[in-house]
Amino acid sequence: MKNPSTEEALRVYEKLSLARLCEEKIREIYHLNELKTPVHLGVGAEAIGVGIHHATVSEGAKYFGTYRNHTIFLAATRNPHAFFAELFGKVTGSCKGKGGSMHLMSPEDGLVATSAVVATTIPVAVGCALAQQYRNSQALAVVFFGDGAMEEGVFWESLNFACLKRLPVLFVCEDNQLAIHSPIGNRQGFRSVENSLGSFDLAYSSGEGRDVFDVMNQTTTIVDRMRRDKQPGFLHLSYFRFLEHVGIGEDFTAGYRKKPLAKELDAWDPILIARERLSRMGVQSNEVEALEGKIRQNINSAVEQSRRDPFPPPEELMADVLARKMP
Amino acid sequence: MTFRDAINLALADEMEADPSVFVFGLDVDDHKRIFGSTRGLVEKFGPSRCFGTPLCEEALTGIALGAAVEGLKPVLVHIRTDFLLLGTNQIINMISCLRYLSGGKLAAPLVIRAVIGRGWGQAAQHSKSLHGMFAHIPGLKVVLPGRPQDAYTLLRGAIQDPDPVIFLEHRWLYDVDGPVEKDRPASLALNGSEVLQEGDAITIVTTSWMSVEALKAAEVLGRSGVHLEVVAVKVAAPLEVERIVASVRKTGRCIVADYDWTFCGFSSELAAQISEACFHELKSPVRRLGFAHAPCPGTRPLENLFYPSAVQIIRETEKILGLSAMDLSGESFYTYEENFRGPF
């Protein structure tokens, strides 16, 4: 396994921490009813978005996500103001407040589109990969989706097309074994993702998505295989969803899943794992705390700024429906 | 030039002019070439710019979007509008709203061509138009070419357009012949609707194949001194009603002859807009003709009852004007068997 330098590890940790701390901030202020947007928090999943983004961003990759997109948005933009302003519905948000939490996107930073209807960005990423092939570009399309998306027809349609055309697209299944509140055993008539994908012409790899540095290595390995064999890749990563499907709470008492022991929860926490890795590299905990303090400060000023920012003016209602505004 | 050749020429000319234009969809490169409309493209531009696909309409629609977002100009082809419906999740949930949701950062300049089938037992799943349903969705443009010149100019305009365009071609129009000038500006906005025939008795507003029926009705009625004005809607969305309103203000009467179901349909929208704009000029209520509110039947006798026709336009005109019914027994109306023996 390739180990990052301490400097690189800290840069990665900064992105990981930004995602976690932004979501903690959401949990802290959501009760004020200022963020009028359905939030699908990614606590527990941060290592996947950050690790894959970090490992592929130098390849000129284009990213496509779901409604659980906060991590990839913050990894791509590192801009908590564009993030919070969008959640506040302000015109300074990444989408002028018209998208909200479920549609955070920033094409200028490589995050092309995210979407609230399960599996809908999968074919769009395949189309993006087709465009790269069409133009002989070396860029990669990376699409994130959950295990539930594998039950959608368009997932299989897109996979088939990508494999047939040998397109440079990396499918990333963020597998938390849950679709909303339905466990995987109630939903899937197949037992193994790997076997189900077995006859498709693609590079497949599966593993855990809790250790960001490990995710980076898994990503680099599969992208190398994709490049070598000129075929799509499928990276299947497991993680633990700490919170409810939508909203800021835990929901272990809802009856559809049991609360793990504290020790088990800690073992699935990408932040604790990354801190442990940093400590083993010799990074002092006060250094990590200082970094987090700086991030918290940025987040606080982003929230304050977003509060002060204006809502979109009335003319924004009809702007950007079409290229030219219609009367 | 036939309508089919005009479509073909528009595709070839756009592909020639812009290397980012490509054409794809089921069977666009097979031996039949979508009724000849994609003829010669793969030979001239190669398989990366004209290719057949697996059967995966929803994915193809999303793929068109992904390619468009990356700056390519995809033309996705469906041999029937009914098959396009598998892509409606992408069309309505993604394509139509991505520009808006992204705060104007993304654009989806793509064209989805689909052929409206009719006759020889096409029945309920090979015959839809649904332009009203697509026009209902903000963020989409909907084009209904009626003549070879429209097919050429509007398809070029659609491909050059910065927004997503649903382009609906009636199968029976494919054999219609007409002049095509290549150097007309290819803009959607210039050609929202067109007065096909001037008259003073009643304004007939038409879509798609209904222009052919309306012109026939105008010819028959014209011989007895009743002159219909026929205005064809070529772009259903965004709808530009100025020409139509001007015509109805002149005639004071209007029949909307739409090629779709009337209930909650495009004809309802037209009738509402015309009625609001021409309330004081209208001498009688706006009437609507369209499909019977049933799935399209396969068998010919029921099909005859299902579709609106020149005869219906004539009878409706007589009712509005208080004329007695003409003897139409000597008239020769369009019957597809003269031109179209199926199977598709």
Side-chain angles (χ1 to χ4, degrees):
Chain A
M1 188 188 277
K2 200 185 125 214
N3 285 314
S5 68
T6 309
E7 265 177 17
E8 188 183 7
L10 277 167
R11 281 206 307 279
V12 172
Y13 184 77
E14 189 175 349
K15 290 192 266 187
L16 201 66
S17 180
L18 177 65
R20 173 64 61 87
L21 294 175
C22 280
E23 296 208 318
E24 281 185 4
K25 178 55 81 177
I26 293 169
R27 297 186 73 196
E28 180 191 319
I29 64 175
Y30 208 60
H31 72 280
L32 299 172
N33 296 331
E34 297 165 305
L35 309 180
K36 293 172 185 171
T37 181
V39 287
H40 301 76
L41 301 184
V43 175
E46 297 95 339
I48 299 175
V50 169
I52 290 174
H53 181 268
H54 190 84
T56 52
V57 67
S58 62
E59 312 249 349
K62 315 265 185 170
Y63 304 90
F64 296 82
T66 68
Y67 45 81
R68 206 178 301 285
N69 55 37
H70 294 177
T71 295
I72 184 64
F73 180 85
L74 289 161
T77 65
R78 289 196 266 172
N79 186 343
H81 176 239
F83 176 79
F84 275 104
E86 188 63 28
L87 302 193
F88 273 89
K90 300 300 180 75
V91 72
T92 49
S94 60
C95 304
K96 296 191 193 167
K98 291 177 177 181
S101 166
M102 298 188 289
H103 302 284
L104 286 160
M105 35 192 142
S106 190
E108 62 273 34
D109 296 299
L111 178 58
V112 182
T114 64
S115 160
V117 179
V118 171
T120 43
T121 51
I122 298 176
V124 185
V126 172
C128 172
L130 179 73
Q132 308 314 318
Q133 188 186 65
Y134 191 95
R135 290 185 164 143
N136 292 318
S137 146
Q138 290 305 301
L140 192 69
V142 179
V143 59
F144 297 90
F145 51 88
D147 45 301
M150 290 192 60
E151 291 144 40
E152 297 284 0
V154 76
F155 163 76
W156 297 99
E157 292 184 10
S158 304
L159 188 78
N160 178 55
F161 188 93
C163 292
L164 178 76
K165 300 278 180 189
R166 309 186 82 86
L167 298 179
V169 54
L170 176 60
F171 297 92
V172 181
C173 179
E174 302 180 275
D175 188 347
N176 60 20
Q177 304 277 302
L178 296 170
I180 310 182
H181 309 123
S182 297
I184 207 157
N186 293 356
R187 306 182 341 251
Q188 296 189 349
F190 53 93
R191 260 172 257 140
S192 154
V193 170
E194 183 170 12
N195 290 348
S196 302
L197 298 177
S199 61
F200 285 90
D201 287 322
L202 53 75
Y204 176 86
S205 162
S206 72
E208 290 176 349
R210 50 179 149 183
D211 178 339
V212 69
F213 303 111
D214 176 43
V215 170
M216 282 158 53
N217 280 323
Q218 292 186 63
T219 308
T220 309
T221 306
I222 198 166
V223 170
D224 286 348
R225 283 173 59 200
M226 289 168 64
R227 299 281 192 215
R228 189 193 64 206
D229 300 333
K230 293 194 171 19
Q231 58 184 13
F234 192 104
L235 188 50
H236 183 196
L237 297 173
S238 58
Y239 79 97
F240 185 79
R241 192 181 85 197
F242 279 63
L243 303 175
E244 60 188 330
H245 166 70
V246 55
I248 59 164
E250 287 186 351
D251 66 347
F252 294 115
T253 55
Y256 70 94
R257 59 173 179 164
K258 286 201 179 73
K259 182 168 187 166
L261 299 170
K263 199 170 70 181
E264 291 168 325
L265 278 175
D266 286 354
W268 277 106
D269 187 335
I271 298 286
L272 297 182
I273 292 166
R275 276 192 202 147
E276 170 64 26
R277 292 286 301 268
L278 287 172
S279 145
R280 270 190 275 150
M281 285 177 204
V283 179
Q284 299 298 309
S285 61
N286 58 1
E287 207 177 329
V288 174
E289 278 153 24
L291 183 64
E292 287 179 356
K294 205 180 74 188
I295 296 167
R296 277 202 180 86
Q297 227 168 25
N298 286 343
I299 291 173
N300 286 338
S301 46
V303 168
E304 283 316 308
Q305 182 61 49
S306 301
R307 276 200 179 105
R308 287 193 300 270
D309 287 343
F311 285 108
E315 56 267 28
E316 276 297 331
L317 175 66
M318 297 310 294
D320 297 321
V321 176
L322 294 168
R324 276 181 297 275
K325 199 168 165 181
M326 290 298 158
Chain B
M1 183 182 290
T2 62
F3 187 95
R4 152 195 295 111
D5 289 342
I7 295 278
N8 185 243
L9 185 64
L11 291 172
D13 283 355
E14 278 303 307
M15 291 173 85
E16 183 74 48
D18 182 352
S20 63
V21 177
F22 70 100
V23 175
F24 75 124
L26 273 68
D27 300 336
V28 298
D29 59 351
D30 72 2
H31 59 288
K32 292 196 172 178
R33 305 287 168 101
I34 314 291
F35 312 119
S37 67
T38 55
R39 203 180 54 237
L41 301 180
V42 67
E43 288 77 7
K44 186 161 184 202
F45 300 102
S48 65
R49 297 188 62 196
C50 177
F51 55 92
T53 61
L55 288 82
C56 52
E57 290 85 350
E58 184 181 354
L60 297 177
T61 314
I63 286 164
L65 175 59
V69 162
E70 282 295 296
L72 298 186
K73 294 281 189 84
V75 179
L76 173 58
V77 185
H78 297 285
I79 205 160
R80 284 291 182 263
T81 310
D82 313 68
F83 309 159
L84 177 159
L85 292 180
L86 280 85
T88 43
N89 180 30
Q90 285 292 323
I91 294 172
I92 300 175
N93 277 325
M94 296 290 288
I95 289 172
S96 70
C97 54
L98 205 57
R99 179 188 290 278
Y100 195 78
L101 280 180
S102 67
K105 289 177 182 175
L106 295 174
L110 58 90
V111 177
I112 303 178
R113 284 180 56 204
V115 180
I116 306 164
R118 176 168 174 180
W120 205 269
Q122 299 300 308
Q125 296 177 348
H126 275 51
S127 56
K128 293 184 192 73
S129 176
L130 297 177
H131 49 277
M133 189 185 94
F134 291 109
H136 182 66
I137 309 298
L140 298 178
K141 292 184 173 176
V142 182
V143 178
L144 293 154
R147 301 198 289 190
Q149 180 72 61
D150 303 335
Y152 179 78
T153 314
L154 292 173
L155 184 52
R156 292 205 67 176
I159 294 170
Q160 291 171 24
D161 200 84
D163 292 307
V165 181
I166 310 284
F167 195 89
L168 300 170
E169 305 154 13
H170 197 284
R171 175 69 182 89
W172 287 4
L173 291 171
Y174 267 57
D175 296 309
V176 168
D177 224 320
V180 172
E181 288 172 41
K182 279 186 59 155
D183 52 2
R184 288 231 201 140
S187 162
L188 287 177
L190 285 178
N191 287 295
S193 60
E194 184 181 351
V195 178
L196 300 183
Q197 173 150 332
E198 291 192 19
D200 54 14
I202 298 185
T203 300
I204 314 293
V205 185
T206 61
T207 54
S208 190
W209 178 255
M210 289 314 292
S211 298
V212 176
E213 300 286 341
L215 289 172
K216 179 67 189 178
E219 176 209 315
V220 172
L221 286 163
R223 274 188 258 119
S224 52
V226 176
H227 300 290
L228 299 181
E229 178 144 304
V230 179
V231 187
V233 176
K234 299 194 286 189
V235 179
L239 180 62
E240 168 211 289
V241 290
E242 287 73 13
R243 270 191 196 78
I244 299 165
V245 165
S247 171
V248 177
R249 285 196 172 135
K250 182 181 80 175
T251 62
R253 295 184 175 90
C254 180
I255 299 171
V256 178
D258 187 27
Y259 195 82
D260 205 348
W261 287 293
T262 50
F263 185 77
C264 287
F266 186 62
S267 63
S268 320
E269 178 62 33
L270 280 171
Q273 291 208 27
I274 294 164
S275 301
E276 285 165 17
C278 307
F279 185 75
H280 297 290
E281 291 88 351
L282 277 168
K283 296 170 197 151
S284 60
V286 177
R287 299 286 301 158
R288 293 182 296 139
L289 299 176
F291 299 170
H293 204 63
C296 177
T299 182
R300 188 70 210 262
L302 294 183
E303 226 183 17
N304 290 345
L305 299 172
F306 175 83
Y307 285 111
S309 63
V311 174
Q312 275 188 31
I313 294 171
I314 293 167
R315 296 302 181 217
E316 200 62 38
T317 299
E318 291 165 342
K319 243 188 269 175
I320 292 171
L321 296 177
L323 306 170
S324 50
M326 294 172 75
D327 175 12
L328 297 174
S329 56
E331 297 293 343
S332 152
F333 293 101
Y334 184 91
T335 165
Y336 72 73
E337 285 84 353
E338 292 162 7
N339 299 287
F340 180 70
R341 296 286 167 99
F344 193 51

mmCIF file of all heavy atoms in Angstrom, chain B residues 143-157:
data_model
loop_
_atom_site.group_PDB
_atom_site.id
_atom_site.type_symbol
_atom_site.label_atom_id
_atom_site.label_comp_id
_atom_site.label_asym_id
_atom_site.label_seq_id
_atom_site.Cartn_x
_atom_site.Cartn_y
_atom_site.Cartn_z
ATOM 1 N N VAL B 143 -40.953 21.004 -31.161
ATOM 2 C CA VAL B 143 -41.061 21.410 -32.557
ATOM 3 C C VAL B 143 -41.857 20.376 -33.348
ATOM 4 O O VAL B 143 -41.657 19.173 -33.189
ATOM 5 C CB VAL B 143 -39.646 21.589 -33.163
ATOM 6 C CG1 VAL B 143 -39.730 21.968 -34.632
ATOM 7 C CG2 VAL B 143 -38.867 22.646 -32.387
ATOM 8 N N LEU B 144 -42.758 20.866 -34.191
ATOM 9 C CA LEU B 144 -43.628 20.005 -34.997
ATOM 10 C C LEU B 144 -43.548 20.424 -36.460
ATOM 11 O O LEU B 144 -44.411 21.158 -36.938
ATOM 12 C CB LEU B 144 -45.073 20.161 -34.524
ATOM 13 C CG LEU B 144 -45.420 19.653 -33.135
ATOM 14 C CD1 LEU B 144 -46.618 20.404 -32.579
ATOM 15 C CD2 LEU B 144 -45.715 18.165 -33.170
ATOM 16 N N PRO B 145 -42.537 19.994 -37.189
ATOM 17 C CA PRO B 145 -42.426 20.419 -38.579
ATOM 18 C C PRO B 145 -43.583 19.874 -39.400
ATOM 19 O O PRO B 145 -44.034 18.757 -39.168
ATOM 20 C CB PRO B 145 -41.097 19.801 -39.030
ATOM 21 C CG PRO B 145 -40.905 18.616 -38.133
ATOM 22 C CD PRO B 145 -41.512 18.995 -36.813
ATOM 23 N N GLY B 146 -44.060 20.678 -40.347
ATOM 24 C CA GLY B 146 -45.192 20.256 -41.163
ATOM 25 C C GLY B 146 -44.842 20.084 -42.630
ATOM 26 O O GLY B 146 -45.522 19.365 -43.343
ATOM 27 N N ARG B 147 -43.806 20.774 -43.085
ATOM 28 C CA ARG B 147 -43.463 20.718 -44.503
ATOM 29 C C ARG B 147 -41.955 20.516 -44.654
ATOM 30 O O ARG B 147 -41.197 20.744 -43.705
ATOM 31 C CB ARG B 147 -43.902 22.003 -45.191
ATOM 32 C CG ARG B 147 -45.411 22.214 -45.042
ATOM 33 C CD ARG B 147 -45.949 23.194 -46.027
ATOM 34 N NE ARG B 147 -45.536 24.556 -45.755
ATOM 35 C CZ ARG B 147 -46.059 25.616 -46.392
ATOM 36 N NH1 ARG B 147 -46.982 25.444 -47.312
ATOM 37 N NH2 ARG B 147 -45.651 26.823 -46.104
ATOM 38 N N PRO B 148 -41.500 20.109 -45.830
ATOM 39 C CA PRO B 148 -40.062 19.853 -46.008
ATOM 40 C C PRO B 148 -39.189 21.050 -45.614
ATOM 41 O O PRO B 148 -38.150 20.869 -44.971
ATOM 42 C CB PRO B 148 -39.942 19.536 -47.500
ATOM 43 C CG PRO B 148 -41.264 18.932 -47.854
ATOM 44 C CD PRO B 148 -42.274 19.683 -47.018
ATOM 45 N N GLN B 149 -39.641 22.261 -45.927
ATOM 46 C CA GLN B 149 -38.838 23.424 -45.551
ATOM 47 C C GLN B 149 -38.705 23.536 -44.028
ATOM 48 O O GLN B 149 -37.634 23.821 -43.506
ATOM 49 C CB GLN B 149 -39.467 24.712 -46.112
ATOM 50 C CG GLN B 149 -38.677 25.968 -45.752
ATOM 51 C CD GLN B 149 -37.355 26.067 -46.521
ATOM 52 O OE1 GLN B 149 -37.341 26.123 -47.744
ATOM 53 N NE2 GLN B 149 -36.236 26.077 -45.794
ATOM 54 N N ASP B 150 -39.831 23.267 -43.309
ATOM 55 C CA ASP B 150 -39.775 23.293 -41.837
ATOM 56 C C ASP B 150 -38.819 22.222 -41.340
ATOM 57 O O ASP B 150 -38.048 22.443 -40.408
ATOM 58 C CB ASP B 150 -41.140 22.952 -41.215
ATOM 59 C CG ASP B 150 -42.244 23.866 -41.670
ATOM 60 O OD1 ASP B 150 -41.942 24.998 -42.068
ATOM 61 O OD2 ASP B 150 -43.403 23.417 -41.621
ATOM 62 N N ALA B 151 -38.942 21.041 -41.932
ATOM 63 C CA ALA B 151 -38.112 19.925 -41.477
ATOM 64 C C ALA B 151 -36.645 20.318 -41.571
ATOM 65 O O ALA B 151 -35.872 20.112 -40.635
ATOM 66 C CB ALA B 151 -38.394 18.684 -42.320
ATOM 67 N N TYR B 152 -36.279 20.923 -42.689
ATOM 68 C CA TYR B 152 -34.874 21.299 -42.881
ATOM 69 C C TYR B 152 -34.467 22.455 -41.954
ATOM 70 O O TYR B 152 -33.519 22.346 -41.174
ATOM 71 C CB TYR B 152 -34.629 21.679 -44.348
ATOM 72 C CG TYR B 152 -33.189 22.095 -44.585
ATOM 73 C CD1 TYR B 152 -32.194 21.134 -44.698
ATOM 74 C CD2 TYR B 152 -32.825 23.441 -44.653
ATOM 75 C CE1 TYR B 152 -30.861 21.494 -44.874
ATOM 76 C CE2 TYR B 152 -31.501 23.820 -44.835
ATOM 77 C CZ TYR B 152 -30.521 22.842 -44.949
ATOM 78 O OH TYR B 152 -29.213 23.203 -45.099
ATOM 79 N N THR B 153 -35.206 23.534 -42.027
ATOM 80 C CA THR B 153 -34.822 24.741 -41.280
ATOM 81 C C THR B 153 -34.919 24.519 -39.774
ATOM 82 O O THR B 153 -34.034 24.905 -39.019
ATOM 83 C CB THR B 153 -35.734 25.925 -41.671
ATOM 84 O OG1 THR B 153 -35.855 25.957 -43.082
ATOM 85 C CG2 THR B 153 -35.155 27.228 -41.173
ATOM 86 N N LEU B 154 -36.020 23.896 -39.349
ATOM 87 C CA LEU B 154 -36.228 23.737 -37.908
ATOM 88 C C LEU B 154 -35.295 22.688 -37.313
ATOM 89 O O LEU B 154 -34.876 22.820 -36.163
ATOM 90 C CB LEU B 154 -37.687 23.381 -37.620
ATOM 91 C CG LEU B 154 -38.701 24.492 -37.902
ATOM 92 C CD1 LEU B 154 -40.121 23.959 -37.743
ATOM 93 C CD2 LEU B 154 -38.493 25.686 -36.977
ATOM 94 N N LEU B 155 -34.966 21.653 -38.073
ATOM 95 C CA LEU B 155 -34.035 20.668 -37.506
ATOM 96 C C LEU B 155 -32.642 21.279 -37.361
ATOM 97 O O LEU B 155 -31.976 21.098 -36.342
ATOM 98 C CB LEU B 155 -33.993 19.386 -38.350
ATOM 99 C CG LEU B 155 -33.113 18.268 -37.773
ATOM 100 C CD1 LEU B 155 -33.448 17.956 -36.311
ATOM 101 C CD2 LEU B 155 -33.219 16.996 -38.612
ATOM 102 N N ARG B 156 -32.232 22.049 -38.356
ATOM 103 C CA ARG B 156 -30.943 22.748 -38.213
ATOM 104 C C ARG B 156 -31.001 23.722 -37.035
ATOM 105 O O ARG B 156 -30.069 23.804 -36.238
ATOM 106 C CB ARG B 156 -30.580 23.482 -39.501
ATOM 107 C CG ARG B 156 -30.251 22.526 -40.650
ATOM 108 C CD ARG B 156 -29.344 23.155 -41.687
ATOM 109 N NE ARG B 156 -28.017 23.417 -41.142
ATOM 110 C CZ ARG B 156 -26.996 23.892 -41.862
ATOM 111 N NH1 ARG B 156 -27.156 24.162 -43.141
ATOM 112 N NH2 ARG B 156 -25.835 24.100 -41.301
ATOM 113 N N GLY B 157 -32.110 24.435 -36.934
ATOM 114 C CA GLY B 157 -32.277 25.362 -35.813
ATOM 115 C C GLY B 157 -32.268 24.637 -34.477
ATOM 116 O O GLY B 157 -31.676 25.106 -33.503
#
